[in-house]
Amino acid sequence: MSSMEEALNGVKGNIAWAVTSSGRRSQDVELIAVTKTLPVETINEAVGLGMRHFGENKVQEIREKYERVSTPVSWHMIGHLQSNKVKYIIDKVCLIHSLDRMSLAKELEKRAAAQKLCISVLIQVNVAQEESKHGMAVEEVLPFIRRVQKFKQIHVRGLMTMAPHNDDAEAARPIFRRLSELKEEISQLELAGVDMDILSMGMSNDYMVAIEEGATMVRVGSAIFGSRTDT
Ligand SMILES: *Cc1c(COP(=O)(O)O)cnc(C)c1O
């Protein structure tokens, strides 16, 4: 067994454990393999192991990898997205996890309309209010969604957050719980054209806690592929 296969099996086992122990179903949690900075060969190896959802945080990398990975896979834009680069990826990604401002929503609407497509997005929330991270404050989310509701080409599917880095995964629990509560609050309003079925939270060090708190997508990189040299 390759080291990637071993690591992937380990992550899947942990996910299964967290799913079961929190009384959820395994089909409720999607594992997104985060392949930023990694070569296409690595992605192809992961495809060979059955992975089909990949997360990237740079437009340029998505463009290159989109061309070079031959098996149909789903690309997730999980990083900060500059408005002037929307046009390069709008037809290549299945979900943008990082909608965090009105100017970006307007550009998404415009480019999606031009290509006659509907783009699915998550609102990125900076629950911990870290200066170094993107995302809007918890109290800004509902007013923002009410405005985005008018955009015909944008389909809001849920929320995303990154917890502050901490070696103790438990430190992330209150952050994940708050996002989960916010998802429920908004969900109960049954806003037309808005779905709150996706909660994207949890990375290599805290995905099990995130699942216990209701994550439906976990974004895992280094726990599968080893630590990156860039970060
Ligand atoms: C890099 C990254 C991840 C994955 O991080 P790991 O710690 O390697 O699992 C998840 N989400 C976002 C937004 C990232 O930028």
Side-chain angles (χ1 to χ4, degrees):
M1 203 190 295
S2 71
S3 58
M4 187 193 294
E5 185 170 14
E6 215 167 300
L8 185 59
N9 286 345
V11 169
K12 284 183 182 165
N14 287 339
I15 290 175
W17 189 87
V19 161
T20 312
S21 71
S22 50
R24 303 180 61 203
R25 300 173 307 169
S26 55
Q27 62 265 38
D28 295 341
V29 180
E30 191 80 61
L31 171 59
I32 299 171
V34 176
T35 45
K36 60 189 184 193
T37 78
L38 300 174
V40 168
E41 293 69 32
T42 303
I43 299 177
N44 283 331
E45 188 180 343
V47 169
L49 297 173
M51 292 304 297
R52 291 295 181 270
H53 288 267
F54 293 93
E56 291 282 343
N57 66 345
K58 291 212 166 69
V59 165
Q60 188 56 29
E61 276 190 69
I62 293 180
R63 291 179 77 184
E64 287 169 17
K65 291 170 177 177
Y66 182 88
E67 295 300 330
R68 296 185 51 215
V69 173
S70 46
T71 309
V73 300
S74 299
W75 296 101
H76 295 250
M77 176 57 185
I78 62 173
H80 180 65
L81 180 54
Q82 286 173 264
S83 296
N84 62 359
K85 294 188 175 163
V86 165
K87 56 181 177 285
Y88 300 121
I89 56 152
I90 188 121
D91 58 341
K92 297 181 175 60
V93 296
C94 69
L95 183 64
I96 291 172
H97 292 231
S98 48
L99 177 55
D100 61 354
R101 60 198 189 281
M102 193 46 68
S103 57
L104 178 58
K106 285 180 181 160
E107 181 67 12
L108 287 168
E109 174 75 2
K110 183 176 123 190
R111 296 289 171 180
Q115 304 217 27
K116 295 193 172 58
L117 46 86
C118 179
I119 183 80
S120 290
V121 303
L122 306 179
I123 310 301
Q124 183 171 354
V125 190
N126 189 350
V127 180
Q129 286 291 282
E130 284 183 284
E131 296 243 349
S132 60
K133 293 216 170 86
H134 294 284
M136 61 184 70
V138 165
E139 53 290 355
E140 291 174 316
V141 175
L142 181 57
F144 181 80
I145 289 178
R146 287 193 190 279
R147 289 178 67 195
V148 171
Q149 246 188 310
K150 300 185 194 87
F151 293 9
K152 301 231 167 353
Q153 321 294 134
I154 298 181
H155 185 188
V156 175
R157 298 285 308 276
L159 308 175
M160 177 273 216
T161 199
M162 288 171 86
H165 184 79
N166 195 307
D167 289 332
D168 179 11
E170 281 301 324
R173 191 180 295 278
I175 303 289
F176 295 152
R177 186 163 295 177
R178 184 69 195 95
L179 196 71
S180 204
E181 286 165 0
L182 181 62
K183 170 184 179 267
E184 283 311 310
E185 286 160 25
I186 297 173
S187 185
Q188 278 168 18
L189 300 175
E190 296 184 3
L191 302 174
V194 173
D195 284 305
M196 277 285 137
D197 54 333
I198 301 177
L199 201 49
S200 169
M201 55 187 198
M203 307 180 10
S204 288
N205 57 328
D206 53 24
Y207 62 92
M208 291 175 72
V209 172
I211 291 170
E212 287 166 5
E213 296 300 331
T216 68
M217 282 184 182
V218 290
R219 312 176 307 267
V220 180
S222 50
I224 302 172
F225 304 110
S227 55
R228 291 173 301 271
T229 46
D230 67 312
T231 46

